[in-house]
Amino acid sequence: MAENADNPQTPTRSTEKSAAAYESARKVLAGGVNSPVRAFGAVGGTPLFIARAKGAVLVDMDGNEYIDYVGSWGPMILGHADERVAAAASKALDKGWSYGAPTEIETRLAECILGDFESMEKIRFVNSGTEATMSAIRLARGFTGRDYIVKFEGCYHGHADSLLVKGGSGLATFATPSSAGVPEAVTSCTIVAPYNDVDAIRQIFAQHGKKIAGVLIEPVAGNMGCVPPIEGFLAELRKLCTDHGSLLIFDEVMTGYRVGLGGAQQLYGVTPDITCLGKVIGGGLPVGAYGARAEIMDKLSPLGPVYQAGTLSGNPLAMATGLATLQAVHEKGFYSQLEMRAARLAEGLEAAARHAGVPITQNRVGSMATVFFQPGPVTDWSSAARSDTKLYAKFFHAMLERGVYLAPSQYEVMFMSVAHTFEQIDATIAAAEDALRSLKS
Ligand SMILES: *Cc1c(COP(=O)(O)O)cnc(C)c1O
């Protein structure tokens, strides 16, 4: 574990400064945070306030160091404060950082992404993954002249009203809002289907096919923990969409540049009509994007009738950190380096759980992985939901005590970066074995 000369780690970790910062934050920020999961609601305890980060290491306000597997929820694939990205950012800063007029770097980032994703001929940048999916479904509706959107239970696409839904009872149903403040009328055009269930989606198309504008999916689910698509599932969605004139929309906000250069669509060999991106493409600054073939993208304003805009969209500073990040992931051997690290951690965690006698199921696709506290298999939301979330919460805190920062929820993934050293990964595995043993006592 990294040394900190100023603040040597004491056996009983103090988190006083984080606790005080949280108290102050709660007086002025709703719930003390700007995104709910950060409040540690699912695992209990007080969130750590972060002072700085470098490589794979987070440092909290009390000077405690943690090996980080959250990675800002995905973007930090190079690790924190990567020097190449920092250099690109400071170069961009010198030139001023927002004009509300076109800049060349937007074209450069677009060319880079379109070179990697054959399914897209044109792209538009927005400021978040939420905006990307919200705009993508508007575009799908505008292009097809239809209203219905199909989404899958357990998939998260950001917080646009019509996607904040849950299924009712039964296999495949019209959605009901999963958040207060979302009118039923807004979700009445959203159908929720179980993930990885070919029969259910066939049934939905048989019933509603002519009204379906698009099917929106995380091609590897990452927001119910990591749940890969079963063999043939994505191909079946492709076929159903093609047969019914509906658009297939891959939400690759998490998987884009995470599971490989061409995203999950390249990994599984299934071509969507519209792709949503975010997270890695901004390198840690707020960037989202959606793209498709020209025929679809040309429906967007100013060429077409589908409106979508953004004051800060294509922001030159965010484009610079995004481009520097994507240049780094294009370096030869990048994804094999990432895979080597992710595989080492996964194998180590399997062994640790076996030695400690704790039944787990680990799902992994490249550098996305989740250890579910249950015997498994985990293939959809109803199986993911059988996990022992109380045990996960204990594991989470036991790992924090041992200097490892995991996601504060069972239903999130661990993200590996290329900045994680083998020493840090091995220390994580040793911490996990110790933590897992402590759960039993
Ligand atoms: C993170 C995420 C989003 C939302 O992105 P934000 O930038 O948080 O709005 C959408 N879809 C998927 C698959 C995500 O992982």
Side-chain angles (χ1 to χ4, degrees), residues 35 73 127-131 133 156-159 218 220 222-223 251-255 278-279 287 415:
S35 197
W73 301 95
N127 304 291
S128 66
T130 296
E131 270 188 79
T133 59
Y156 176 69
H157 304 288
H159 63 89
E218 289 182 77
V220 177
N223 288 287
D251 178 353
E252 298 226 41
V253 169
M254 187 183 291
T255 53
K279 298 196 166 110
V287 181
F415 292 107

Side-chain angles (χ1 to χ4, degrees), residues 101-376:
T103 56
E104 209 181 13
I105 193 167
E106 296 160 73
T107 308
R108 292 290 95 78
L109 187 59
E111 286 167 347
C112 174
I113 294 171
L114 298 186
D116 293 325
F117 285 80
E118 279 172 28
S119 66
M120 291 190 263
E121 291 172 339
K122 291 186 182 176
I123 194 165
R124 178 163 283 175
F125 291 111
V126 291
N127 304 291
S128 66
T130 296
E131 270 188 79
T133 59
M134 179 186 80
S135 309
I137 62 175
R138 185 183 304 145
L139 179 57
R141 284 166 164 159
F143 181 79
T144 58
R146 302 174 179 182
D147 289 341
Y148 288 6
I149 297 289
V150 179
K151 84 168 283 280
F152 295 88
E153 202 181 7
C155 286
Y156 176 69
H157 304 288
H159 63 89
D161 280 354
S162 64
L163 300 174
L164 278 184
V165 297
K166 57 184 179 216
S169 54
L171 256 193
T173 55
F174 281 94
T176 55
S178 61
S179 164
V182 177
E184 298 258 358
V186 173
T187 60
S188 65
C189 291
T190 309
I191 299 173
V192 183
Y195 199 82
N196 274 335
D197 187 333
V198 170
D199 290 337
I201 189 71
R202 280 189 186 140
Q203 195 184 309
I204 289 169
F205 267 97
Q207 228 178 319
H208 305 290
K210 290 201 178 75
K211 291 182 177 171
I212 295 173
V215 173
L216 175 61
I217 187 165
E218 289 182 77
V220 177
N223 288 287
M224 51 175 143
C226 179
V227 178
I230 57 169
E231 174 94 38
F233 183 60
L234 297 175
E236 181 65 19
L237 297 183
R238 176 65 279 174
K239 183 176 182 304
L240 287 166
C241 284
T242 303
D243 290 351
H244 293 85
S246 311
L247 300 186
L248 181 58
I249 309 168
F250 275 6
D251 178 353
E252 298 226 41
V253 169
M254 187 183 291
T255 53
Y257 291 101
R258 171 55 64 182
V259 301
L261 274 187
Q265 49 198 268
Q266 188 180 62
L267 189 62
Y268 294 99
V270 175
T271 307
D273 298 294
I274 303 180
T275 300
C276 301
L277 295 170
K279 298 196 166 110
V280 173
I281 66 160
L285 266 71
V287 181
Y290 61 109
R293 53 184 190 274
E295 164 201 24
I296 299 173
M297 291 304 282
D298 289 349
K299 291 283 180 219
L300 280 178
S301 179
L303 291 181
V306 178
Y307 190 72
Q308 185 271 311
T311 301
L312 295 175
S313 291
N315 173 265
L317 183 57
M319 296 287 105
T321 55
L323 189 57
T325 300
L326 295 197
Q327 281 164 350
V329 306
H330 276 90
E331 277 172 18
K332 206 161 168 256
F334 178 88
Y335 286 97
S336 55
Q337 286 294 324
L338 197 60
E339 170 62 25
M340 241 158 48
R341 286 163 170 75
R344 186 178 180 119
L345 179 64
E347 284 159 23
L349 293 179
E350 292 285 348
R354 214 168 37 243
H355 297 156
V358 177
I360 60 154
T361 296
Q362 187 167 201
N363 286 351
R364 180 174 78 91
V365 177
S367 58
M368 297 166 55
T370 300
V371 171
F372 292 98
F373 279 81
Q374 60 153 304

